[in-house]
Amino acid sequence: MKRYTQDAKRFNWPAMLAVCLLAPHRPMYLRRLRLTDPLDQQLADSLFFAAPDFEMDAFGRLPVGDMALPLADRFPAGCAPEHRLTFAAFEHDQPVGLAQVGLHLPTADSAALLMLLVPRRWRQQHLGCEMVSRLSKQARRWPGIQRWYLNVTESNSAGQAFWRHCGFRTTATGLSTGHSHDLLAMERSVKARPHCERHGRPEDAATVGGRLIFARLP
Protein backbone atom coordinates (compact mmCIF):
# COMPACT_ATOMS: atom_id res chain seq x y z
CA MET A 1 0.00 0.00 0.00
CA LYS A 2 2.90 2.34 0.74
CA ARG A 3 4.31 1.83 -2.74
CA TYR A 4 0.88 2.47 -4.26
CA THR A 5 0.49 5.72 -2.32
CA GLN A 6 3.94 6.88 -3.35
CA ASP A 7 3.22 6.06 -7.01
CA ALA A 8 0.05 8.16 -6.91
CA LYS A 9 1.94 11.10 -5.39
CA ARG A 10 4.58 10.87 -8.10
CA PHE A 11 2.03 11.22 -10.89
CA ASN A 12 3.02 14.16 -13.06
CA TRP A 13 0.25 15.57 -15.25
CA PRO A 14 2.50 17.87 -17.36
CA ALA A 15 4.87 14.96 -17.95
CA MET A 16 2.02 12.75 -19.18
CA LEU A 17 0.88 15.44 -21.59
CA ALA A 18 4.44 15.85 -22.84
CA VAL A 19 4.77 12.09 -23.43
CA CYS A 20 1.54 12.07 -25.47
CA LEU A 21 2.50 15.13 -27.51
CA LEU A 22 6.03 13.95 -28.24
CA ALA A 23 5.20 10.28 -28.84
CA PRO A 24 5.87 9.21 -32.44
CA HIS A 25 3.08 7.79 -34.55
CA ARG A 26 2.52 4.28 -33.29
CA PRO A 27 1.35 1.48 -35.59
CA MET A 28 -0.89 0.17 -32.81
CA TYR A 29 -3.88 -1.98 -33.62
CA LEU A 30 -6.49 -3.82 -31.59
CA ARG A 31 -7.61 -7.38 -32.10
CA ARG A 32 -10.71 -8.82 -30.51
CA LEU A 33 -9.94 -11.99 -28.59
CA ARG A 34 -12.26 -14.98 -28.44
CA LEU A 35 -11.70 -16.36 -24.98
CA THR A 36 -13.13 -19.71 -26.05
CA ASP A 37 -10.09 -20.06 -28.34
CA PRO A 38 -7.17 -21.59 -26.40
CA LEU A 39 -4.57 -19.42 -28.15
CA ASP A 40 -6.51 -16.21 -27.51
CA GLN A 41 -7.07 -17.24 -23.91
CA GLN A 42 -3.34 -17.87 -23.50
CA LEU A 43 -2.51 -14.45 -24.94
CA ALA A 44 -5.03 -12.70 -22.68
CA ASP A 45 -3.74 -14.54 -19.61
CA SER A 46 -0.12 -13.66 -20.44
CA LEU A 47 -0.98 -9.94 -20.60
CA PHE A 48 -3.14 -10.07 -17.49
CA PHE A 49 -0.59 -11.83 -15.32
CA ALA A 50 2.17 -9.56 -16.61
CA ALA A 51 0.41 -6.78 -14.65
CA PRO A 52 0.02 -8.29 -11.15
CA ASP A 53 -0.37 -4.79 -9.67
CA PHE A 54 -3.54 -4.16 -11.72
CA GLU A 55 -5.91 -4.83 -8.82
CA MET A 56 -3.94 -2.53 -6.50
CA ASP A 57 -3.53 0.23 -9.07
CA ALA A 58 -7.12 0.12 -10.28
CA PHE A 59 -9.11 -0.85 -7.21
CA GLY A 60 -6.86 -0.29 -4.19
CA ARG A 61 -6.78 -3.92 -3.15
CA LEU A 62 -4.20 -6.67 -3.16
CA PRO A 63 -4.14 -8.99 -6.21
CA VAL A 64 -6.04 -11.87 -4.63
CA GLY A 65 -9.42 -13.46 -5.19
CA ASP A 66 -10.59 -12.80 -8.73
CA MET A 67 -7.01 -12.43 -10.06
CA ALA A 68 -7.33 -16.21 -10.47
CA LEU A 69 -10.79 -15.93 -12.02
CA PRO A 70 -10.86 -16.75 -15.75
CA LEU A 71 -11.02 -13.55 -17.77
CA ALA A 72 -14.22 -14.75 -19.44
CA ASP A 73 -15.88 -14.76 -16.00
CA ARG A 74 -14.85 -11.26 -14.94
CA PHE A 75 -17.77 -9.61 -16.71
CA PRO A 76 -20.83 -8.53 -14.70
CA ALA A 77 -23.47 -11.22 -14.44
CA GLY A 78 -26.01 -8.99 -16.19
CA CYS A 79 -23.84 -8.57 -19.29
CA ALA A 80 -25.13 -10.70 -22.15
CA PRO A 81 -22.52 -13.05 -23.72
CA GLU A 82 -22.69 -11.24 -27.07
CA HIS A 83 -21.93 -7.95 -25.31
CA ARG A 84 -18.71 -9.16 -23.68
CA LEU A 85 -15.69 -7.92 -25.62
CA THR A 86 -12.00 -8.56 -24.92
CA PHE A 87 -9.26 -6.83 -26.92
CA ALA A 88 -5.51 -7.15 -27.09
CA ALA A 89 -3.46 -4.16 -28.22
CA PHE A 90 -0.43 -4.74 -30.44
CA GLU A 91 2.45 -2.52 -31.42
CA HIS A 92 4.73 -3.84 -34.15
CA ASP A 93 2.89 -7.16 -33.59
CA GLN A 94 4.02 -7.15 -29.96
CA PRO A 95 1.11 -7.55 -27.49
CA VAL A 96 1.26 -4.53 -25.16
CA GLY A 97 -2.17 -4.16 -23.56
CA LEU A 98 -5.48 -5.76 -22.67
CA ALA A 99 -8.99 -4.33 -22.43
CA GLN A 100 -12.44 -5.66 -21.57
CA VAL A 101 -15.67 -3.88 -22.49
CA GLY A 102 -19.28 -4.61 -21.56
CA LEU A 103 -21.77 -3.20 -24.05
CA HIS A 104 -25.02 -1.53 -22.94
CA LEU A 105 -23.87 -1.10 -19.34
CA PRO A 106 -24.97 0.56 -17.15
CA THR A 107 -27.48 2.01 -19.63
CA ALA A 108 -28.50 1.06 -23.14
CA ASP A 109 -26.44 3.85 -24.74
CA SER A 110 -23.19 3.25 -22.84
CA ALA A 111 -20.31 0.79 -22.81
CA ALA A 112 -18.52 -0.05 -19.56
CA LEU A 113 -14.74 -0.06 -19.79
CA LEU A 114 -14.19 -2.85 -17.27
CA MET A 115 -10.46 -3.29 -17.72
CA LEU A 116 -7.61 -1.45 -19.38
CA LEU A 117 -4.12 -2.57 -18.49
CA VAL A 118 -0.61 -2.22 -19.84
CA PRO A 119 2.17 -4.39 -18.35
CA ARG A 120 4.69 -2.31 -16.42
CA ARG A 121 7.48 -2.69 -18.98
CA TRP A 122 5.32 -0.92 -21.59
CA ARG A 123 4.05 1.95 -19.43
CA GLN A 124 4.87 5.67 -19.75
CA GLN A 125 4.88 5.32 -23.55
CA HIS A 126 1.44 6.75 -24.41
CA LEU A 127 0.05 3.23 -24.93
CA GLY A 128 -2.88 3.50 -22.50
CA CYS A 129 -4.09 6.74 -24.05
CA GLU A 130 -3.68 5.29 -27.53
CA MET A 131 -5.70 2.21 -26.53
CA VAL A 132 -8.56 4.41 -25.35
CA SER A 133 -8.48 6.34 -28.64
CA ARG A 134 -8.56 3.18 -30.74
CA LEU A 135 -11.29 1.60 -28.63
CA SER A 136 -13.31 4.79 -29.08
CA LYS A 137 -12.98 4.58 -32.86
CA GLN A 138 -14.46 1.09 -32.69
CA ALA A 139 -17.13 2.17 -30.21
CA ARG A 140 -18.47 4.75 -32.68
CA ARG A 141 -19.47 1.84 -34.90
CA TRP A 142 -21.25 -0.11 -32.16
CA PRO A 143 -25.03 0.33 -32.61
CA GLY A 144 -26.59 2.49 -29.92
CA ILE A 145 -23.36 3.21 -28.00
CA GLN A 146 -22.76 6.90 -27.33
CA ARG A 147 -20.64 7.04 -24.17
CA TRP A 148 -18.04 5.26 -22.07
CA TYR A 149 -18.49 4.41 -18.41
CA LEU A 150 -15.91 3.20 -15.88
CA ASN A 151 -15.13 2.98 -12.17
CA VAL A 152 -11.94 3.91 -10.32
CA THR A 153 -11.19 3.97 -6.61
CA GLU A 154 -11.55 7.31 -4.88
CA SER A 155 -8.03 6.85 -3.45
CA ASN A 156 -6.43 6.28 -6.87
CA SER A 157 -5.44 9.84 -7.75
CA ALA A 158 -3.05 8.71 -10.50
CA GLY A 159 -5.77 6.64 -12.17
CA GLN A 160 -8.26 9.50 -11.96
CA ALA A 161 -5.74 11.88 -13.53
CA PHE A 162 -5.13 9.42 -16.38
CA TRP A 163 -8.83 9.07 -17.13
CA ARG A 164 -9.38 12.84 -16.98
CA HIS A 165 -6.51 13.19 -19.42
CA CYS A 166 -8.41 10.76 -21.66
CA GLY A 167 -11.46 13.04 -21.50
CA PHE A 168 -13.50 11.37 -18.73
CA ARG A 169 -15.45 13.33 -16.11
CA THR A 170 -16.66 12.21 -12.69
CA THR A 171 -20.42 11.57 -12.54
CA ALA A 172 -20.83 9.85 -9.14
CA THR A 173 -18.82 9.26 -5.97
CA GLY A 174 -19.02 6.98 -2.94
CA LEU A 175 -19.97 3.80 -4.80
CA SER A 176 -19.42 0.91 -2.39
CA THR A 177 -18.34 -2.58 -3.45
CA GLY A 178 -17.68 -4.01 -0.01
CA HIS A 179 -13.92 -3.60 -0.37
CA SER A 180 -11.56 -1.24 1.41
CA HIS A 181 -12.00 1.64 -1.04
CA ASP A 182 -15.13 3.24 -2.44
CA LEU A 183 -15.37 3.84 -6.17
CA LEU A 184 -16.26 6.84 -8.24
CA ALA A 185 -17.85 6.71 -11.68
CA MET A 186 -16.47 8.48 -14.73
CA GLU A 187 -18.02 8.93 -18.18
CA ARG A 188 -17.07 10.28 -21.59
CA SER A 189 -18.62 10.48 -25.03
CA VAL A 190 -17.13 7.96 -27.44
CA LYS A 191 -16.55 10.92 -29.78
CA ALA A 192 -14.49 12.89 -27.24
CA ARG A 193 -10.73 13.23 -27.48
CA PRO A 194 -7.95 13.04 -24.88
CA HIS A 195 -6.33 16.23 -23.63
CA CYS A 196 -3.25 15.62 -25.75
CA GLU A 197 -5.46 15.98 -28.85
CA ARG A 198 -7.97 18.55 -27.63
CA HIS A 199 -8.03 20.30 -24.27
CA GLY A 200 -11.34 19.69 -22.53
CA ARG A 201 -13.19 21.71 -19.94
CA PRO A 202 -11.92 21.35 -16.36
CA GLU A 203 -14.01 19.18 -14.08
CA ASP A 204 -16.09 20.91 -11.44
CA ALA A 205 -18.15 19.71 -8.49
CA ALA A 206 -21.42 20.76 -10.13
CA THR A 207 -21.13 17.84 -12.57
CA VAL A 208 -20.88 15.21 -9.83
CA GLY A 209 -24.16 13.54 -8.86
CA GLY A 210 -24.95 10.72 -6.45
CA ARG A 211 -27.11 8.43 -8.56
CA LEU A 212 -27.33 4.65 -8.72
CA ILE A 213 -25.15 3.39 -11.55
CA PHE A 214 -23.22 0.27 -12.40
CA ALA A 215 -20.12 -0.68 -10.44
CA ARG A 216 -17.54 -3.29 -11.40
CA LEU A 217 -18.04 -6.75 -9.98
CA PRO A 218 -16.23 -7.06 -6.62
Side-chain angles (χ1 to χ4, degrees), residues 26-32 43 87-97 130-131 134-135 138:
R26 293 185 175 278
M28 176 188 282
Y29 65 91
L30 300 178
R31 179 166 71 83
R32 183 179 175 187
L43 172 60
F87 296 92
F90 295 82
E91 186 181 50
H92 297 294
D93 295 325
Q94 170 72 44
V96 295
E130 182 69 15
M131 285 178 66
R134 293 186 179 271
L135 282 168
Q138 297 215 16

Side-chain angles (χ1 to χ4, degrees), residues 5-149:
T5 303
Q6 291 175 340
D7 285 349
K9 290 181 178 178
R10 284 199 297 265
F11 184 86
N12 188 320
W13 175 278
M16 170 187 276
L17 186 59
V19 167
C20 292
L21 292 173
L22 296 175
H25 173 70
R26 293 185 175 278
M28 176 188 282
Y29 65 91
L30 300 178
R31 179 166 71 83
R32 183 179 175 187
L33 302 182
R34 309 286 179 175
L35 297 181
T36 54
D37 182 300
L39 292 179
D40 279 0
Q41 178 69 64
Q42 183 179 9
L43 172 60
D45 286 343
S46 67
L47 286 166
F48 185 61
F49 289 110
D53 49 355
F54 168 72
E55 293 291 315
M56 178 63 77
D57 287 345
F59 299 104
R61 67 186 187 195
L62 294 174
V64 296
D66 64 358
M67 275 293 286
L69 196 67
L71 285 167
D73 296 335
R74 293 175 63 93
F75 290 91
C79 186
E82 65 271 21
H83 296 158
R84 303 180 179 195
L85 309 179
T86 301
F87 296 92
F90 295 82
E91 186 181 50
H92 297 294
D93 295 325
Q94 170 72 44
V96 295
L98 184 69
Q100 285 193 315
V101 174
L103 299 182
H104 306 297
L105 292 174
T107 59
D109 67 346
S110 60
L113 189 49
L114 303 170
M115 176 191 299
L116 184 105
L117 63 83
V118 175
R120 184 166 293 278
R121 63 176 294 196
W122 300 108
R123 295 177 190 173
Q124 305 300 318
Q125 300 182 50
H126 184 64
L127 296 176
C129 184
E130 182 69 15
M131 285 178 66
V132 173
S133 292
R134 293 186 179 271
L135 282 168
S136 295
K137 289 179 181 178
Q138 297 215 16
R140 292 165 200 156
R141 298 194 296 267
W142 296 336
I145 300 300
Q146 298 182 20
R147 65 186 64 255
W148 287 114
Y149 174 90

